[in-house]
Amino acid sequence: YPNCKIEIYEPSEAPEIDCYTGEPLDTWDLVTICPCDMQPFLQRDKESHKEVGTFLQDTYKCYVEQDTPITDKSRIKIVGEDKTYTVLDFPQRWYRFHHFMKVIVKLERHETL
């Protein structure tokens, strides 16, 4: 059951160049907006340790439709909020009984989008 809508961003194929340093700048293209069920990993929950190998803070489980264009390089924002999330692992597709993907994301400490 979706509890929010998310914006999914991918790295731009044509990065901008910093005119002062000549280095490429990180630029992001909006790919899609889709419904999402976003749930926190609880610190006391052993699930985060089991799946990722460590206890995680500011980490969330996102469940999206199976055909959602999301990758391990994606950045996510909740519609109406300024926080940016990084995908921690390649999205896991669930085929047997559920037609959704589970994506583990982490809140970024600084805004990248």
Side-chain angles (χ1 to χ4, degrees), residues 11-65:
S12 177
E13 291 183 13
E16 295 179 21
I17 302 297
D18 187 331
C19 63
Y20 299 107
T21 65
E23 297 291 320
L25 295 171
D26 289 336
T27 55
W28 299 89
D29 295 328
L30 177 63
V31 176
T32 190
I33 298 174
C34 65
C36 175
D37 178 13
M38 194 167 189
Q39 303 172 5
F41 263 125
L42 301 176
Q43 183 65 18
R44 68 182 185 278
D45 192 354
K46 293 181 181 179
E47 181 180 7
S48 68
H49 191 271
K50 177 179 151 188
E51 288 198 27
V52 186
T54 185
F55 290 104
L56 303 172
Q57 293 180 339
D58 296 331
T59 306
Y60 301 85
K61 300 178 282 187
C62 295
Y63 297 94
V64 294
E65 294 180 7

Side-chain angles (χ1 to χ4, degrees), residues 30-111:
L30 177 63
V31 176
T32 190
I33 298 174
C34 65
C36 175
D37 178 13
M38 194 167 189
Q39 303 172 5
F41 263 125
L42 301 176
Q43 183 65 18
R44 68 182 185 278
D45 192 354
K46 293 181 181 179
E47 181 180 7
S48 68
H49 191 271
K50 177 179 151 188
E51 288 198 27
V52 186
T54 185
F55 290 104
L56 303 172
Q57 293 180 339
D58 296 331
T59 306
Y60 301 85
K61 300 178 282 187
C62 295
Y63 297 94
V64 294
E65 294 180 7
Q66 201 171 56
D67 60 348
T68 303
I70 190 167
T71 68
D72 57 338
K73 296 178 184 174
S74 298
R75 296 290 186 270
I76 295 173
K77 287 181 81 172
I78 297 174
V79 172
E81 293 186 14
D82 292 332
K83 298 174 184 175
T84 305
Y85 300 85
T86 303
V87 175
L88 286 183
D89 197 8
F90 197 78
Q92 303 169 15
R93 287 181 165 74
W94 297 58
Y95 292 107
R96 284 194 83 141
F97 302 110
H98 307 286
H99 299 286
F100 63 86
M101 282 191 297
K102 179 180 179 182
V103 182
I104 300 172
V105 298
K106 184 168 180 66
L107 178 65
E108 292 186 347
R109 296 292 179 198
H110 52 85
E111 189 174 329

